[in-house]
DNA sequence: CGCCGATTTGAGAGCTTTCAAACTTTGTGG
DNA sequence: CCACAAAGTTTGAAAGCTCTCAAATCGGCG
């Protein structure tokens, strides 16, 4: 475990309020893996031996059924993954693979559960984290069930613009095929959906994308905090 | 608060392991509402003043956007709803309405958060509950993104059969339009999907439904524990 | 420069929704 | 208890959306 990552992890909401002793206990057996892109960290159905913390790079959570595969979430630093499975000691419902060169901290599951059982502050922090994960998943499901694919794309673009209301160009920093899968459509359909959004001022050039008429895009996308705001 | 409901609530995994004192503190200001069908308990965007526990009847969680409405979940006794929003003191992401005459226990949110902060056993139980809610939502999303509507219906039928492998008739104990919305399709499409499943041995008569050839239905539905088993 | 994979475009098929109408069920009031 | 009204369900037809397959184009890496 390199000492440089420790403060980053300590600063996570999940670990911020626990005692130094308990944090030490968690980190004692933890270690960092540096992985190239495309490496599978675990596969759905596996048992959680470690809690994974993405410190650098990015990780795709995906699921498979009957020959199909779909991207469920892209995890970016600094965040934990599969906390729910670790705590329940239940099999993973999703698989994970690196999308780029990544640093992953592995904390033995047994240690997590033990500290969880003895440190109230940690247990409460875990609740905050889990509640957030749950609510994100509810929002994603509303997005899927209530919107057409083009509407999902339009709202995704508006979310990328972030808190700032600027109309500056944004970069699609993942493969379009992954974005398509994340949004619940095929790559071909994403390409067509981007063309349809041209009517609402969206200009695409490769991975560069610009919403030149934000009000028009908003009129089409009808974003709502109850789906699109990720910090509530 | 009628004393008859208290043991039922106490028996919930969520409240089972907490101290008597803390449980008393929670129940002191709690009260029961008996409601006819179709009553809205709260609406998305509202703030959680109470943790709701469904003691009898059933409650639909649904969401709206841009004139559409979709059923997210049907909650049946005995279970809590919107625990995540209560703990985070964040606005509801879903609305709730009774589907039949129901008894709902209302526990003031402040009390829940206060006990949560001081009772470690309760905090840990909450984590177990939330992790389960999160995993249910992941399964629902996999179901939506990886399966066609007919496949979702077939797997829903298999789940209704439950643990027993009997091929006996089952009753669709909710309106078909609600079932359609829950499965992410229109009522018309549900009707057609049921007809398509006739090829796999499904016989429908009104609300009565029988899978006369379970192996055939399973071959078509391809159920997997990582989507369809709700207790892992 | 050339290869390989990703993206785009086109055509067609398949699935889902919408709209309309007929039919069934449910619940209410006479 | 029946009749009627209201709501839910089913069926049909047509339109719209999405996916699949195939081919062409674009882009990055060795």
């Amino acid at each position: 475990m390199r000492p440089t990552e420790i403060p980053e992890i300590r600063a996570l909401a999940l670990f911020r309020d626990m005692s130094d002793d308990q944090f030490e206990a968690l980190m004692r057996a933890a270690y960092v893996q540096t992985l190239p892109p495309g490496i599978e960290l675990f596969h759905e159905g596996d048992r959680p031996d470690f809690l994974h913390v993405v410190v650098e790079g990015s990780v795709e959570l995906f699921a498979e059924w009957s020959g199909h595969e779909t991207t469920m979430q892209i995890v970016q630093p600094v965040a934990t993954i599969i906390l729910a499975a670790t705590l329940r000691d239940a099999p993973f419902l999703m698989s994970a693979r690196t999308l780029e060169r990544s640093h992953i901290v592995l904390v033995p599951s047994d240690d997590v559960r033990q500290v969880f059982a003895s440190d109230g502050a940690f247990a409460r922090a875990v609740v905050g984290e889990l509640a957030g994960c749950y609510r994100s998943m509810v929002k994603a499901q509303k997005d899927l069930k209530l919107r057409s694919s083009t509407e999902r794309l339009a709202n995704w673009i508006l979310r990328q613009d972030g808190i700032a209301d600027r109309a500056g160009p944004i970069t699609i920093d993942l493969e379009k095929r992954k974005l398509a899968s994340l949004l619940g459509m095929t790559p071909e359909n994403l390409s067509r959906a981007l063309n349809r959004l041209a009517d609402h001022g969206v200009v695409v050039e490769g991975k560069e994308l610009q919403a030149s008429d934000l009000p028009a895009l908003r009129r089409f996308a009808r974003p709502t905090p109850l789906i699109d705001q990720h910090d509530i």
Side-chain angles (χ1 to χ4, degrees), chain A residues 37-70:
Chain A
I39 297 295
E40 193 165 295
L41 300 176
F42 52 82
H43 197 270
E44 53 177 285
D46 289 352
R47 287 281 170 168
D49 292 326
F50 298 94
L51 173 68
H52 294 58
V53 184
V54 183
V55 176
E56 204 178 306
S58 64
V59 170
E60 174 192 14
L61 299 183
F62 64 99
E64 292 163 286
W65 179 78
S66 195
H68 301 279
E69 177 181 316
T70 190

Short mmCIF file of all heavy atoms in Angstrom, two decimals, chain A residues 37-70:
data_model
loop_
_atom_site.label_atom_id
_atom_site.label_comp_id
_atom_site.label_asym_id
_atom_site.label_seq_id
_atom_site.Cartn_x
_atom_site.Cartn_y
_atom_site.Cartn_z
N PRO A 37 -5.87 -1.36 -19.22
CA PRO A 37 -7.28 -1.33 -19.61
C PRO A 37 -7.79 -2.73 -19.96
O PRO A 37 -7.02 -3.59 -20.38
CB PRO A 37 -7.30 -0.46 -20.88
CG PRO A 37 -5.99 0.25 -20.90
CD PRO A 37 -5.03 -0.62 -20.17
N GLY A 38 -9.07 -2.95 -19.77
CA GLY A 38 -9.69 -4.18 -20.24
C GLY A 38 -9.54 -5.37 -19.32
O GLY A 38 -9.89 -6.48 -19.70
N ILE A 39 -9.02 -5.13 -18.12
CA ILE A 39 -8.86 -6.25 -17.18
C ILE A 39 -10.13 -6.42 -16.36
O ILE A 39 -10.68 -5.46 -15.83
CB ILE A 39 -7.67 -5.97 -16.22
CG1 ILE A 39 -6.38 -5.87 -17.02
CG2 ILE A 39 -7.58 -7.06 -15.17
CD1 ILE A 39 -5.96 -7.13 -17.69
N GLU A 40 -10.58 -7.66 -16.25
CA GLU A 40 -11.79 -7.92 -15.47
C GLU A 40 -11.41 -8.08 -14.00
O GLU A 40 -10.58 -8.91 -13.65
CB GLU A 40 -12.48 -9.19 -15.99
CG GLU A 40 -13.88 -9.34 -15.47
CD GLU A 40 -14.70 -10.38 -16.25
OE1 GLU A 40 -14.96 -10.16 -17.44
OE2 GLU A 40 -15.05 -11.41 -15.65
N LEU A 41 -12.02 -7.26 -13.16
CA LEU A 41 -11.71 -7.30 -11.73
C LEU A 41 -12.44 -8.45 -11.05
O LEU A 41 -11.91 -9.12 -10.17
CB LEU A 41 -12.12 -5.99 -11.06
CG LEU A 41 -11.46 -4.72 -11.60
CD1 LEU A 41 -12.04 -3.50 -10.91
CD2 LEU A 41 -9.96 -4.78 -11.39
N PHE A 42 -13.68 -8.63 -11.44
CA PHE A 42 -14.47 -9.76 -10.95
C PHE A 42 -15.64 -9.95 -11.88
O PHE A 42 -15.90 -9.10 -12.76
CB PHE A 42 -14.95 -9.52 -9.51
CG PHE A 42 -15.65 -8.22 -9.31
CD1 PHE A 42 -16.99 -8.08 -9.63
CD2 PHE A 42 -14.98 -7.12 -8.79
CE1 PHE A 42 -17.65 -6.88 -9.45
CE2 PHE A 42 -15.64 -5.90 -8.60
CZ PHE A 42 -16.97 -5.79 -8.93
N HIS A 43 -16.31 -11.06 -11.70
CA HIS A 43 -17.39 -11.42 -12.62
C HIS A 43 -18.65 -11.68 -11.82
O HIS A 43 -18.59 -12.18 -10.70
CB HIS A 43 -16.99 -12.65 -13.43
CG HIS A 43 -17.84 -12.84 -14.66
ND1 HIS A 43 -18.99 -13.58 -14.67
CD2 HIS A 43 -17.69 -12.35 -15.91
CE1 HIS A 43 -19.53 -13.54 -15.88
NE2 HIS A 43 -18.75 -12.81 -16.66
N GLU A 44 -19.81 -11.33 -12.41
CA GLU A 44 -21.06 -11.53 -11.68
C GLU A 44 -21.21 -13.00 -11.27
O GLU A 44 -20.87 -13.91 -12.04
CB GLU A 44 -22.26 -11.06 -12.50
CG GLU A 44 -22.40 -11.62 -13.90
CD GLU A 44 -23.66 -11.13 -14.59
OE1 GLU A 44 -24.76 -11.60 -14.27
OE2 GLU A 44 -23.55 -10.26 -15.46
N GLY A 45 -21.68 -13.19 -10.05
CA GLY A 45 -21.75 -14.54 -9.50
C GLY A 45 -20.60 -14.84 -8.55
O GLY A 45 -20.74 -15.67 -7.66
N ASP A 46 -19.46 -14.17 -8.74
CA ASP A 46 -18.33 -14.35 -7.83
C ASP A 46 -18.70 -13.88 -6.43
O ASP A 46 -19.64 -13.11 -6.24
CB ASP A 46 -17.12 -13.52 -8.30
CG ASP A 46 -16.48 -14.09 -9.55
OD1 ASP A 46 -16.86 -15.20 -9.97
OD2 ASP A 46 -15.59 -13.40 -10.11
N ARG A 47 -17.91 -14.36 -5.48
CA ARG A 47 -18.07 -13.89 -4.11
C ARG A 47 -17.12 -12.74 -3.84
O ARG A 47 -15.98 -12.74 -4.31
CB ARG A 47 -17.75 -15.04 -3.13
CG ARG A 47 -18.82 -16.11 -3.10
CD ARG A 47 -19.95 -15.62 -2.25
NE ARG A 47 -21.12 -16.50 -2.38
CZ ARG A 47 -22.16 -16.43 -1.55
NH1 ARG A 47 -22.17 -15.54 -0.58
NH2 ARG A 47 -23.18 -17.23 -1.72
N PRO A 48 -17.54 -11.77 -3.05
CA PRO A 48 -16.68 -10.61 -2.80
C PRO A 48 -15.60 -10.90 -1.77
O PRO A 48 -15.88 -10.96 -0.57
CB PRO A 48 -17.66 -9.56 -2.28
CG PRO A 48 -18.79 -10.34 -1.71
CD PRO A 48 -18.86 -11.64 -2.46
N ASP A 49 -14.37 -11.06 -2.22
CA ASP A 49 -13.25 -11.24 -1.29
C ASP A 49 -12.68 -9.90 -0.85
O ASP A 49 -12.06 -9.80 0.21
CB ASP A 49 -12.16 -12.07 -1.95
CG ASP A 49 -12.60 -13.51 -2.19
OD1 ASP A 49 -13.38 -14.02 -1.36
OD2 ASP A 49 -12.21 -14.10 -3.22
N PHE A 50 -12.89 -8.89 -1.70
CA PHE A 50 -12.33 -7.57 -1.40
C PHE A 50 -13.32 -6.47 -1.72
O PHE A 50 -14.09 -6.58 -2.67
CB PHE A 50 -11.06 -7.32 -2.25
CG PHE A 50 -9.96 -8.29 -1.98
CD1 PHE A 50 -9.81 -9.43 -2.77
CD2 PHE A 50 -9.05 -8.06 -0.96
CE1 PHE A 50 -8.79 -10.33 -2.53
CE2 PHE A 50 -8.02 -8.95 -0.72
CZ PHE A 50 -7.89 -10.09 -1.50
N LEU A 51 -13.28 -5.43 -0.91
CA LEU A 51 -13.94 -4.19 -1.30
C LEU A 51 -12.99 -3.45 -2.23
O LEU A 51 -11.81 -3.32 -1.93
CB LEU A 51 -14.25 -3.33 -0.07
CG LEU A 51 -14.80 -1.93 -0.35
CD1 LEU A 51 -16.19 -2.01 -0.94
CD2 LEU A 51 -14.81 -1.08 0.93
N HIS A 52 -13.50 -2.99 -3.38
CA HIS A 52 -12.66 -2.32 -4.35
C HIS A 52 -12.86 -0.81 -4.26
O HIS A 52 -14.00 -0.32 -4.21
CB HIS A 52 -13.01 -2.76 -5.77
CG HIS A 52 -12.72 -4.21 -6.05
ND1 HIS A 52 -13.26 -5.24 -5.31
CD2 HIS A 52 -11.91 -4.81 -6.97
CE1 HIS A 52 -12.82 -6.40 -5.77
NE2 HIS A 52 -12.00 -6.17 -6.79
N VAL A 53 -11.75 -0.07 -4.24
CA VAL A 53 -11.82 1.39 -4.28
C VAL A 53 -11.05 1.86 -5.51
O VAL A 53 -9.86 1.56 -5.66
CB VAL A 53 -11.21 2.02 -3.01
CG1 VAL A 53 -11.39 3.53 -3.04
CG2 VAL A 53 -11.83 1.43 -1.76
N VAL A 54 -11.74 2.56 -6.38
CA VAL A 54 -11.09 3.08 -7.59
C VAL A 54 -10.38 4.37 -7.23
O VAL A 54 -11.03 5.36 -6.88
CB VAL A 54 -12.11 3.34 -8.71
CG1 VAL A 54 -11.40 3.81 -9.98
CG2 VAL A 54 -12.92 2.10 -8.99
N VAL A 55 -9.06 4.36 -7.30
CA VAL A 55 -8.27 5.53 -6.92
C VAL A 55 -7.86 6.33 -8.15
O VAL A 55 -7.73 7.55 -8.10
CB VAL A 55 -7.03 5.10 -6.12
CG1 VAL A 55 -6.14 6.29 -5.80
CG2 VAL A 55 -7.45 4.39 -4.85
N GLU A 56 -7.64 5.63 -9.25
CA GLU A 56 -7.27 6.32 -10.48
C GLU A 56 -7.75 5.50 -11.66
O GLU A 56 -7.82 4.26 -11.58
CB GLU A 56 -5.74 6.50 -10.53
CG GLU A 56 -5.30 7.66 -11.41
CD GLU A 56 -3.79 7.84 -11.39
OE1 GLU A 56 -3.22 7.97 -10.26
OE2 GLU A 56 -3.17 7.81 -12.46
N GLY A 57 -8.07 6.17 -12.76
CA GLY A 57 -8.55 5.47 -13.95
C GLY A 57 -10.07 5.43 -13.97
O GLY A 57 -10.73 6.36 -13.50
N SER A 58 -10.65 4.36 -14.50
CA SER A 58 -12.10 4.20 -14.44
C SER A 58 -12.46 2.73 -14.64
O SER A 58 -11.72 1.97 -15.26
CB SER A 58 -12.79 5.08 -15.48
OG SER A 58 -12.43 4.69 -16.78
N VAL A 59 -13.60 2.38 -14.10
CA VAL A 59 -14.03 0.98 -14.10
C VAL A 59 -15.46 0.90 -14.60
O VAL A 59 -16.32 1.70 -14.21
CB VAL A 59 -13.93 0.38 -12.68
CG1 VAL A 59 -14.59 -0.98 -12.62
CG2 VAL A 59 -12.48 0.29 -12.24
N GLU A 60 -15.71 -0.04 -15.48
CA GLU A 60 -17.05 -0.27 -16.01
C GLU A 60 -17.73 -1.39 -15.23
O GLU A 60 -17.13 -2.46 -15.03
CB GLU A 60 -16.96 -0.67 -17.49
CG GLU A 60 -18.29 -1.07 -18.10
CD GLU A 60 -18.13 -1.73 -19.47
OE1 GLU A 60 -17.01 -2.12 -19.82
OE2 GLU A 60 -19.15 -1.87 -20.16
N LEU A 61 -18.93 -1.14 -14.77
CA LEU A 61 -19.74 -2.22 -14.21
C LEU A 61 -20.70 -2.67 -15.30
O LEU A 61 -21.39 -1.85 -15.90
CB LEU A 61 -20.52 -1.75 -12.98
CG LEU A 61 -19.70 -1.25 -11.81
CD1 LEU A 61 -20.59 -0.89 -10.63
CD2 LEU A 61 -18.69 -2.32 -11.37
N PHE A 62 -20.73 -3.97 -15.57
CA PHE A 62 -21.59 -4.45 -16.65
C PHE A 62 -22.24 -5.76 -16.25
O PHE A 62 -21.87 -6.37 -15.24
CB PHE A 62 -20.79 -4.62 -17.96
CG PHE A 62 -19.72 -5.66 -17.89
CD1 PHE A 62 -19.93 -6.94 -18.41
CD2 PHE A 62 -18.48 -5.39 -17.32
CE1 PHE A 62 -18.94 -7.91 -18.36
CE2 PHE A 62 -17.49 -6.36 -17.27
CZ PHE A 62 -17.72 -7.61 -17.78
N ALA A 63 -23.25 -6.14 -16.98
CA ALA A 63 -23.98 -7.36 -16.67
C ALA A 63 -24.27 -8.11 -17.96
O ALA A 63 -24.36 -7.50 -19.03
CB ALA A 63 -25.29 -7.04 -15.95
N GLU A 64 -24.42 -9.41 -17.84
CA GLU A 64 -24.66 -10.24 -19.01
C GLU A 64 -25.89 -11.11 -18.78
O GLU A 64 -26.19 -11.47 -17.65
CB GLU A 64 -23.46 -11.16 -19.27
CG GLU A 64 -22.19 -10.44 -19.69
CD GLU A 64 -20.99 -11.36 -19.51
OE1 GLU A 64 -20.56 -11.58 -18.36
OE2 GLU A 64 -20.49 -11.86 -20.52
N TRP A 65 -26.56 -11.41 -19.85
CA TRP A 65 -27.62 -12.41 -19.80
C TRP A 65 -27.86 -12.94 -21.19
O TRP A 65 -28.06 -12.16 -22.12
CB TRP A 65 -28.91 -11.84 -19.21
CG TRP A 65 -30.01 -12.83 -19.14
CD1 TRP A 65 -30.16 -13.84 -18.22
CD2 TRP A 65 -31.12 -12.95 -20.05
NE1 TRP A 65 -31.28 -14.56 -18.49
CE2 TRP A 65 -31.90 -14.05 -19.60
CE3 TRP A 65 -31.52 -12.24 -21.16
CZ2 TRP A 65 -33.07 -14.45 -20.25
CZ3 TRP A 65 -32.68 -12.64 -21.81
CH2 TRP A 65 -33.44 -13.74 -21.35
N SER A 66 -27.80 -14.22 -21.29
CA SER A 66 -28.20 -14.89 -22.52
C SER A 66 -27.50 -14.33 -23.76
O SER A 66 -28.13 -14.08 -24.78
CB SER A 66 -29.73 -14.74 -22.66
OG SER A 66 -30.23 -15.62 -23.63
N GLY A 67 -26.18 -14.11 -23.60
CA GLY A 67 -25.40 -13.68 -24.76
C GLY A 67 -25.33 -12.17 -24.96
O GLY A 67 -24.54 -11.68 -25.75
N HIS A 68 -26.20 -11.43 -24.23
CA HIS A 68 -26.14 -9.97 -24.33
C HIS A 68 -25.30 -9.41 -23.19
O HIS A 68 -25.15 -10.03 -22.14
CB HIS A 68 -27.55 -9.36 -24.23
CG HIS A 68 -28.50 -9.84 -25.27
ND1 HIS A 68 -28.53 -9.35 -26.54
CD2 HIS A 68 -29.46 -10.78 -25.20
CE1 HIS A 68 -29.48 -9.97 -27.23
NE2 HIS A 68 -30.06 -10.84 -26.44
N GLU A 69 -24.80 -8.22 -23.39
CA GLU A 69 -24.06 -7.52 -22.33
C GLU A 69 -24.52 -6.08 -22.28
O GLU A 69 -24.82 -5.48 -23.32
CB GLU A 69 -22.55 -7.59 -22.64
CG GLU A 69 -21.69 -6.84 -21.65
CD GLU A 69 -20.21 -6.91 -22.00
OE1 GLU A 69 -19.72 -7.99 -22.36
OE2 GLU A 69 -19.54 -5.86 -21.93
N THR A 70 -24.62 -5.52 -21.09
CA THR A 70 -25.01 -4.12 -20.98
C THR A 70 -24.17 -3.43 -19.92
O THR A 70 -23.84 -4.02 -18.89
CB THR A 70 -26.52 -3.96 -20.66
OG1 THR A 70 -26.87 -2.59 -20.79
CG2 THR A 70 -26.85 -4.41 -19.26
#
